[in-house]
Amino acid sequence: MAAIALAGGNGRSGAKGMDIVFVGAGLANCLMAARLATQRPGLHMLLLEAGESVGGNHSWSCHDSDLTPAQRAFLAPFQSYRWAGHGVHFPAFSRTLKGGYATISSERMAEVMNERLCAAIRTNARVAHVAADHVVLEGGERIDARAVVDGRGPMASRHLDLGYQTFLGQELRLSRPHGLTRPVIMDARVEQLGGYRFVYVLPLDDDTLLVEDTYYADGPDLPADALRGRISAYAAAQGWAVDYVVREEDGILPIALGGDIVAFLGEIPAGVAPAGLRAGLFHPTTGYSLPDAMALADTVSALADLSGPALSAAVRAHAAAAWNGRGFFRLLNRMLFRAADPERRYAILQRFYGLSEDLIARFYADRLTLADKARILSGRPPVSVFRALSCLVETKAAPGSP
C-alpha cells in the first residue's frame, strides 16, 4: 500500500499545508486520489466529504470497451459486479450484446478508499468556501493547500444548454430467483411518459436486482413516488416476487445539447481544478461518467507539476478538449430532445441499436470514426426532417439566457 502523508494526524482536525485538497469524495475525486496515491507516494492529500461516507449512495457502470486494459486493471479492485454481456429491449426487437459490463457501488468505493487512504479522508466536512490555495469549512476552519480540486457534482450554469437524464433506482430483494444472467441496460417496452423512458436492470445475485426507472426528460423533475410505483408495476409484470427494498438511489444527470465550455469553466474560481460533472466530464448522450473520471485520473497522475496553477490549467484544458471533441454527440442529443416528439424519442434509440455491435461499442467509448458518424446519420431519420435541420447549429447558452 502506498504511504499517504497527512498533516494533523487522522485528518479530523488541524490539517494544514496540504499538497492537494479534494472537495467532495465522489467518483472523480476518489479515482484521482487513488491514482495519485499509487503514482506519488508521500503526497499530502485530504478528501473532504460532506456526507457520512465516501461515494454517497450511487452506482457507476461502464462497458469493458470504454476503458483501456490498464484502466480496467486499475479499476478491478473497485468493481462490485461484472457480467460477460448485456441486453436491450425495444418495441420492435430485443438484442443481446457480447460486450462486458461492470459496476462500482458506492459501498465498494468506500471500502477500497478507506483501505487505501483512510487517514486522508474526512467525512461530515461541509465546505463553505473554495479558493485556489485553501478551503473553508462551515464553522470557519481553514485548510491551506498547494492545490484544490472541486468535485462536488454538476452546477447550474447559463453557459450550458442541457437536457436531463433522471432516474430512481431500487435494489430489490426477491423471494425467489429472477433468472437473469446479464444486465438489461435499456428496456424501452414500457409506456413512454414525458420523454424517452426505459428501465435499467442489474442482476446483483440470484435473488437481488437493481431496477432503475429512467427518463431522458426536458426538465430535472424527479417525482419519486410515481417512479416507485412504476418500478413496482414493472417488477410485477416480469413475474418477480419482491420481498423487500434493500436501498434506493436517484439521480439527475446532465445531457449536453450545447454550450460554451470556456465560459462554463470560467465560472469556477480561478486556480481551482474542477473534476467530474463539475468539469463537464461525462458522455454527452449516455451520461456515463466512469470512463471520463478514469481518463482524468490518468491525466492528472501523469503531470510533472501538481501545483495549484499547473493542475488547474491542465484539468481545464483536458475538460475543454473533451467537450470540443464531442460536438457530434451534442448534435444527436438536440435531435433526440428537439426534433422528436417526447413519446417517440425511443425510436431514435431503437434505430441506433439496430446498428453493428462494434459501432455501438465505439459510440459508448467516444471513439466514433467518420464512417460511423455517416452511418448513424444515414437513411430516413425517425424524426421530422425540418425539425432535425433546425438542430444543426449548436447554441452557446441555455435557452432564455441573456
Side-chain angles (χ1 to χ4, degrees):
M1 181 184 299
I4 304 298
L6 175 63
N10 64 9
R12 295 299 173 184
S13 63
K16 302 292 183 182
M18 310 304 299
D19 289 318
I20 304 177
V21 169
F22 295 93
V23 182
L27 176 67
N29 274 358
C30 282
L31 293 184
M32 200 184 310
R35 196 82 168 94
L36 285 170
T38 302
Q39 299 289 104
R40 309 288 182 89
L43 271 179
H44 287 66
M45 297 192 296
L46 179 62
L47 284 87
L48 299 173
E49 169 55 43
E52 296 183 354
S53 65
V54 167
N57 180 30
H58 301 284
S59 300
W60 303 280
S61 300
C62 71
H63 302 81
D64 284 357
S65 54
D66 296 342
L67 305 168
T68 67
Q71 289 172 337
R72 288 200 298 271
F74 178 81
L75 286 173
F78 293 88
Q79 290 180 3
S80 307
Y81 311 96
R82 187 179 180 282
W83 303 269
H86 56 283
V88 295
H89 300 296
F90 291 95
F93 65 87
S94 294
R95 185 177 185 184
T96 298
L97 299 99
K98 64 178 182 295
Y101 197 75
T103 293
I104 296 172
S105 68
S106 54
E107 182 180 18
R108 181 58 185 161
M109 175 69 77
E111 290 174 356
V112 175
M113 292 300 293
N114 285 325
E115 288 170 1
R116 298 185 180 188
L117 292 95
C118 181
I121 297 170
R122 183 169 171 181
T123 57
N124 297 306
R126 296 186 176 277
V127 173
H129 176 70
V130 173
D133 60 355
H134 70 277
V135 300
V136 178
L137 305 184
E138 290 184 359
E141 180 185 355
R142 173 176 169 136
I143 302 173
D144 295 314
R146 293 180 63 231
V148 174
V149 179
D150 190 350
R152 289 178 292 176
M155 62 181 187
S157 172
R158 63 186 180 89
H159 298 296
L160 295 185
D161 183 9
L162 301 174
Y164 299 91
Q165 182 184 157
T166 64
F167 66 90
L168 184 139
Q170 291 184 329
E171 186 174 323
L172 305 178
R173 184 69 176 177
L174 309 182
S175 58
R176 57 179 181 268
H178 48 71
L180 294 182
T181 59
R182 62 180 65 89
V184 176
I185 64 172
M186 286 185 182
D187 186 347
R189 297 172 299 182
V190 294
E191 183 181 5
Q192 298 298 297
L193 300 165
Y196 173 47
R197 177 191 175 208
F198 63 92
V199 177
Y200 173 90
V201 183
L202 298 181
L204 306 183
D205 61 35
D206 290 345
D207 303 302
T208 310
L209 296 166
L210 176 63
V211 181
E212 292 183 353
D213 196 33
T214 306
Y215 300 77
Y216 275 48
D218 297 315
D221 295 337
L222 188 69
D225 286 342
L227 271 60
R228 291 185 187 107
R230 291 167 194 168
I231 290 173
S232 178
Y234 181 85
Q238 307 308 308
W240 299 331
V242 178
D243 193 359
Y244 58 92
V245 176
V246 179
R247 68 179 188 89
E248 190 172 278
E249 64 179 88
D250 58 46
I252 302 172
L253 304 179
I255 299 295
L257 308 181
D260 184 336
I261 190 62
V262 174
F264 168 70
L265 294 173
E267 295 180 310
I268 297 163
V272 173
L277 299 184
R278 187 153 292 233
L281 289 170
F282 56 91
H283 192 292
T285 303
T286 68
Y288 282 37
S289 57
L290 178 52
D292 275 86
M294 192 67 249
L296 179 61
D298 285 346
T299 295
V300 169
S301 67
L303 295 176
D305 184 356
L306 289 176
S307 65
L311 179 58
S312 176
V315 169
R316 290 168 189 248
H318 174 92
W323 179 277
N324 291 334
R326 292 169 166 172
F328 180 77
F329 294 100
R330 295 192 294 277
L331 168 62
L332 297 181
N333 294 347
R334 292 193 296 277
M335 290 185 176
L336 177 66
F337 278 81
R338 293 178 179 157
D341 294 330
E343 67 276 7
R344 291 287 302 168
R345 289 176 184 170
Y346 80 89
I348 296 178
L349 278 299
Q350 180 174 267
R351 179 178 181 274
F352 170 75
Y353 264 99
L355 301 176
S356 76
E357 185 167 343
D358 287 344
L359 187 155
I360 293 169
R362 290 192 294 272
F363 182 93
Y364 273 91
D366 186 18
R367 290 195 290 269
L368 289 176
T369 66
L370 287 176
D372 291 336
K373 295 176 183 179
R375 180 68 185 89
I376 290 170
L377 294 176
S378 65
R380 180 177 176 83
V383 298
S384 163
V385 173
F386 294 106
R387 288 165 67 180
L389 289 174
S390 70
C391 296
L392 294 178
V393 178
E394 178 171 337
T395 60
K396 295 298 182 181
S401 297

